[in-house]
């Protein structure tokens, strides 16, 4: 096993290393030597390097790999995993990966749905820089801000804020094990985004290691690059080492509830109604709908369950008023409502049992890892009831289908679609996150993936068109990918305009300026390149 990896490196070395570096050293050794040369020589870098020869290699690789589809033995594996413990160690990694001509991937929380932070299908061999150890968080309550290193999870950030104050929070994702590093580079929505916008809308500074190995903050990188990294997708412009984020006010008491309706209880009509009100509800209310299969009665008959999951920045009394005024059809009762603290609402919204303490957020690991395929859509007009009925028929064909409907409106309507690269703003009623998941590796993945494709095809008439918009953080390689390292920006615009609409072309311009050699690249990274006059005018 070791021999074969040495052999491939040797071939690699002959083909690609500059003449002075053609030596028969395995990549682990040459990388180690290079790190020492480019950093504090006395630092024990070997303790940060894991190669397949280290017994913990696979467990380190899989530690944060969220989608089990990319942990199978046939999945391409990195030559080594490097876990820097200081920012300067990231700089050295960039310099050495360049010098040795070995492709680099960067991982923060490992939630990329196509595994791009730890698997490369287009560049081999490759190494993974895993920011897992760079996760310090410093909260400045008086300044309403926090510096958070990229390897922290959003759950850790929420916990550290709540430790300091019951009246501060941060508007990022629902799932606490998501990494701050990848999440904010793609936008980041959660239960407060109708009130305060995306995580990326609430970034005030950042530190990035660029393709030359320099550390740049907002002032030094300039507003163009600072614009691009807040929503333009991870792995294209550099390695974020830390974000400075703006904290937002949260009341001491928030209210949560979960009310489910089955088809027999009128779920279809109710969901049609929800589509008409969800984006217009009070900004303090986040009311998402999660659609899943459920049992109807005892005879093993299946039904569809639509679960209305809510977080309200206020108390039960006001929530009941808001619901009575705008969505009485749900029939919310006082006894459905749970008043709690913001930090406990985080646990509730991410389905932890209700006696779980917030300390669980420090454990980082997601207990719900599965084999997963997902897609996303944006909806501008309510989906007709007949179309919903057709949708249920198709959901019944899959064992564990999931559709989550995320309401827009509120602050999302007030921020221009050009403010940051994330463009899906005014005019969207809600986003749909379709997925299917399975637990058994021997299951036929292609069957499940085809099912998601079928649902996506069925939904085409009811969702955004030209382009059919998609959420960049719900990465989906079916939308198109960079087959080659020199994919033209015209080819990339096929998927790029789905994620970023016309902001894609500005992202290409920034990329061309800061990384013309395309050092930071992956299957869906922004390519550098020439933009035609027609596109530039957009
Ligand atoms: C179970 C689950 C729940 C989710 N819930 C939500 C949610 O509630 N809201 C939401 O908005 N999204 C959600 N997402 C999507 C999530 O925001 C994205 O997958 C996000 O990119 C994950 O960030 P990460 O650091 O964990 O991922 P990673 O896999 O580490 O990285 C994702 C991408 O960013 C790049 N990257 C990673 N770190 C850096 C860095 N420091 N600098 C530059 N590039 C970097 C990677 O190379 C990769 O291309 C969820 C995903 C999953 C799997
Ligand atoms: C991996 O193995 C090498 C060689 O035995 C060793 O020097 C290095 O310290 C190991 N890495 C870790 C993180 O233990
Ligand atoms: C959990 O919440 C449910 C519903 O609100 C409640 O009935 C139950 O007593 C709670 N359990 C615990 C352990 O708090
Ligand atoms: C991309 O690279 C291939 C060879 O790898 C070459 O044939 C092609 O001309 C290149 N395309 C562009 C647009 O540079």
């Amino acid at each position: 096993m070791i021999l074969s990896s040495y052999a491939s490196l040797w071939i690699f070395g002959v083909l690609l290393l500059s003449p002075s570096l053609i030596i028969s050293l395995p990549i682990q050794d040459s990388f180690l030597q290079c790190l020492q040369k480019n950093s504090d020589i006395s630092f024990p870098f070997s303790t940060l390097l894991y190669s397949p020869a280290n017994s913990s290699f696979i467990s380190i690789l899989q530690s944060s790999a969220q989608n089990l589809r990319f942990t199978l033995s046939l999945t391409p594996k990195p030559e080594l995993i490097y876990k820097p413990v200081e920012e300067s160690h990231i700089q050295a990694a960039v310099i050495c990966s360049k010098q040795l001509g070995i492709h680099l991937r960067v991982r923060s929380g490992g939630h990329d749905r196509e595994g791009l932070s730890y698997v490369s299908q287009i560049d081999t061999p490759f190494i993974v820089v895993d920011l897992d150890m760079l996760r310090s968080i410093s909260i400045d309550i008086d300044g309403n801000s926090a510096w958070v290193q990229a390897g922290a999870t959003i759950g850790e950030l929420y916990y550290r804020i709540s430790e300091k104050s019951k009246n501060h929070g941060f508007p990022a994702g629902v799932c606490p094990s998501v990494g701050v590093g990848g999440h904010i580079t793609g936008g980041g929505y959660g239960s407060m985004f109708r009130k305060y916008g995306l995580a990326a809308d609430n970034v005030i500074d950042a530190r990035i290691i660029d393709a030359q190995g320099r550390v740049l903050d907002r002032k030094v990188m300039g507003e163009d690059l600072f614009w691009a990294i807040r929503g333009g997708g991870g792995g294209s412009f550099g390695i974020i080492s830390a974000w400075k984020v703006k904290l937002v006010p949260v009341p001491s008491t928030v209210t949560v509830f979960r009310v489910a309706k089955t088809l027999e209880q009128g779920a279809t009509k109710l969901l049609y109604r929800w589509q008409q009100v969800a984006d217009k509800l009070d900004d303090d209310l986040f009311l998402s709908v999660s659609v899943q299969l459920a049992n109807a009665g005892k005879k093993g008959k299946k039904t569809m369950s639509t679960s209305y999951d809510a977080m309200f920045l206020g108390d039960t009394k006001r929530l009941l008023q808001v619901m009575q005024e705008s969505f009485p059809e749900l029939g919310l009762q006082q006894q459905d409502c749970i008043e709690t603290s913001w930090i406990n609402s985080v646990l509730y919204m991410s389905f932890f049992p209700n006696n779980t303490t917030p300390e669980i957020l420090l454990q980082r690991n997601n207990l719900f890892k599965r084999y997963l395929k997902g897609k996303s859509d944006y909806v501008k007009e309510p989906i007709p009831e007949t179309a919903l009925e057709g949708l249920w028929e198709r959901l019944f064909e899959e064992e564990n289908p999931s559709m989550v409907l995320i309401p827009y409106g509120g602050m999302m309507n007030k921020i221009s679609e050009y403010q940051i690269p994330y463009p899906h703003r005014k005019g969207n009623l809600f986003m749909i996150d379709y997925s299917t998941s399975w637990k058994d590796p021997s299951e036929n993945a292609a069957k499940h993936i085809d099912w998601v494709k079928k649902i996506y095809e069925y939904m085409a008439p009811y969702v955004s068109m030209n382009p059919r918009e998609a959420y960049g953080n719900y990465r989906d390689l079916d939308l198109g990918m960079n087959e080659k390292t020199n994919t033209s920006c015209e080819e990339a615009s096929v998927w790029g305009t789905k994620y970023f609409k016309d902001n894609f072309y500005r992202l290409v311009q920034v990329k061309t300026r800061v990384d013309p050699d395309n050092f930071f690249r992956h299957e869906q990274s922004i390519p550098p390149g020439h933009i035609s006059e027609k596109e530039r005018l957009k």
Side-chain angles (χ1 to χ4, degrees):
M1 180 183 81
I2 301 166
L3 269 181
S4 74
S5 94
Y6 277 31
S8 67
L9 283 164
W10 187 80
I11 295 165
F12 172 71
V14 167
L15 290 175
L16 291 176
L17 294 188
S18 69
S20 64
L21 287 162
I22 298 186
I23 30 177
S24 55
L25 281 181
I27 191 77
Q28 301 80 280
D29 295 350
S30 37
F31 196 75
L32 178 60
Q33 281 184 6
C34 178
L35 289 174
Q36 284 164 338
K37 225 167 59 198
N38 285 282
S39 197
D40 171 11
I41 188 133
S42 64
F43 190 89
F45 279 105
S46 73
T47 62
L48 312 180
L49 289 171
Y50 301 81
S51 81
N54 296 88
S55 56
S56 51
F57 178 77
I58 290 293
S59 67
I60 297 284
L61 182 62
Q62 298 192 349
S63 59
S64 68
Q66 188 59 36
N67 190 341
L68 296 179
R69 273 172 60 212
F70 303 103
T71 60
L72 299 173
S73 58
L74 287 175
T75 308
K77 300 282 183 289
E79 297 298 315
L80 62 94
I81 304 165
Y82 172 51
K83 293 180 55 158
V85 295
E86 285 172 29
E87 188 181 58
S88 66
H89 296 167
I90 308 177
Q91 296 179 267
V94 168
I95 290 164
C96 293
S97 137
K98 236 176 161 168
Q99 242 171 51
L100 302 175
I102 186 156
H103 181 61
L104 174 155
R105 291 285 163 117
V106 56
R107 179 164 80 174
S108 290
H111 280 57
D112 192 291
R113 283 188 163 183
E114 299 280 10
L116 301 191
S117 54
Y118 52 96
V119 180
S120 167
Q121 311 276 357
I122 54 174
D123 277 290
T124 45
F126 66 100
I127 63 169
V128 170
V129 176
D130 187 337
L131 302 183
D132 179 56
M133 309 280 275
L134 282 167
R135 54 173 194 253
S136 77
I137 295 171
S138 87
I139 309 286
D140 175 7
I141 288 298
D142 297 332
N144 285 314
S145 67
W147 269 107
V148 48
Q149 283 190 306
T153 63
I154 54 176
E156 286 174 305
L157 175 59
Y158 297 159
Y159 181 86
R160 294 300 172 204
I161 296 170
S162 74
E163 230 181 4
K164 291 272 167 69
S165 161
K166 300 294 167 231
N167 297 109
H168 289 73
F170 184 67
V174 178
C175 171
S177 55
V178 163
V180 160
H183 187 60
I184 299 184
T185 57
Y189 78 83
S191 53
M192 295 200 289
F193 88 126
R194 300 188 65 250
K195 175 85 174 181
Y196 297 116
L198 304 166
D201 292 321
N202 291 279
V203 168
I204 44 190
D205 203 342
R207 293 175 69 83
I208 185 170
I209 287 81
D210 74 357
Q212 294 167 56
R214 300 174 301 190
V215 181
L216 317 174
D217 66 5
R218 177 175 184 171
K219 206 165 141 219
V220 179
M221 79 177 87
E223 287 304 301
D224 233 22
L225 180 53
F226 185 61
W227 174 83
I229 58 177
R230 289 173 294 155
S236 286
F237 300 98
I239 301 181
I240 307 292
S241 73
W243 300 104
K244 184 180 187 185
V245 299
K246 188 167 80 194
L247 305 184
V248 301
V250 298
S252 306
T253 300
V254 307
T255 307
V256 291
F257 69 80
R258 186 165 285 139
V259 172
K261 300 284 180 200
T262 60
L263 295 182
E264 293 71 19
Q265 294 168 318
T268 309
K269 276 206 154 41
L270 190 64
L271 188 60
Y272 185 68
R273 179 71 193 143
W274 174 87
Q275 297 182 79
Q276 295 169 318
V277 300
D279 67 307
K280 298 168 200 77
L281 295 172
D282 192 302
D283 294 3
D284 286 333
L285 178 58
F286 173 79
L287 179 59
S288 64
V289 187
S290 165
V291 183
Q292 273 168 336
L293 287 188
N295 289 316
K298 293 194 185 85
K299 292 182 204 113
K301 189 175 167 269
K302 291 281 177 198
T303 184
M304 217 40 78
S305 155
T306 55
S307 174
Y308 290 79
D309 300 345
M311 204 280 265
F312 180 66
L313 293 163
D315 60 16
T316 302
K317 189 160 165 262
R318 190 161 68 89
L319 173 58
L320 288 169
Q321 278 166 13
V322 166
M323 289 296 288
Q324 189 53 42
E325 279 159 24
S326 13
F327 194 32
E329 295 85 352
L330 184 63
L332 185 71
Q333 303 290 312
Q334 174 144 13
Q335 61 267 28
D336 298 323
C337 302
I338 304 168
E339 290 187 342
T340 186
S341 60
W342 172 70
I343 193 68
N344 279 321
S345 80
V346 167
L347 300 176
Y348 184 89
M349 294 304 282
S350 51
F351 296 93
F352 283 103
N354 60 356
N355 48 5
T356 310
T357 58
E359 281 67 33
I360 193 134
L361 299 173
L362 301 178
Q363 286 182 12
R364 297 170 64 83
N365 53 338
N366 185 335
L367 311 166
F368 314 112
K369 284 188 183 182
R370 300 178 72 107
Y371 298 84
L372 178 95
K373 175 64 192 177
K375 290 182 174 292
S376 61
D377 258 324
Y378 287 87
V379 180
K380 322 249 175 194
E381 301 279 347
I383 303 164
E385 278 180 51
T386 51
L388 291 176
E389 277 154 12
L391 184 59
W392 307 151
E393 274 170 38
R394 285 160 179 84
L395 289 169
F396 277 123
E397 290 167 9
E398 179 69 359
E399 281 126 66
N400 193 25
S402 159
M403 254 180 74
V404 185
L405 283 56
I406 305 294
Y408 270 58
M411 187 55 126
M412 291 302 279
N413 284 355
K414 294 177 196 131
I415 300 175
S416 144
E417 75 176 68
Y418 308 106
Q419 182 72 27
I420 63 170
Y422 181 98
H424 320 286
R425 305 282 185 174
K426 199 172 176 182
N428 290 295
L429 305 182
F430 56 96
M431 180 180 85
I432 306 178
D433 166 16
Y434 315 89
S435 67
T436 183
S437 62
W438 59 102
K439 277 188 191 148
D440 180 355
S442 67
E443 278 195 42
N444 181 357
K447 191 187 87 190
H448 295 293
I449 294 170
D450 283 348
W451 176 82
V452 182
K453 287 182 181 167
K454 247 176 70 183
I455 284 285
Y456 193 67
E457 213 172 286
Y458 171 76
M459 289 298 285
Y462 312 112
V463 299
S464 64
M465 289 172 214
N466 305 314
R468 184 167 180 181
E469 298 169 35
Y471 179 27
N473 258 348
Y474 284 164
R475 197 183 305 285
D476 177 7
L477 292 184
D478 300 343
L479 302 178
M481 62 185 257
N482 304 329
E483 305 272 353
K484 313 178 293 287
T485 58
N486 65 352
T487 298
S488 72
C489 62
E490 210 163 338
E491 288 168 279
S493 70
V494 173
W495 53 263
T497 52
K498 291 175 185 293
Y499 290 155
F500 309 112
K501 296 174 75 177
D502 284 348
N503 290 332
F504 172 75
Y505 300 104
R506 184 170 169 199
L507 288 168
V508 170
Q509 285 176 330
V510 177
K511 173 75 177 182
T512 309
R513 185 172 65 75
V514 305
D515 185 18
D517 299 332
N518 208 12
F519 174 77
F520 293 108
R521 61 175 184 265
H522 54 67
E523 288 76 355
Q524 276 186 348
S525 58
I526 304 292
H530 175 73
I531 300 167
S532 71
E533 196 57 29
K534 189 178 110 234
E535 285 159 347
R536 199 187 300 274
L537 289 174
K538 279 187 182 171

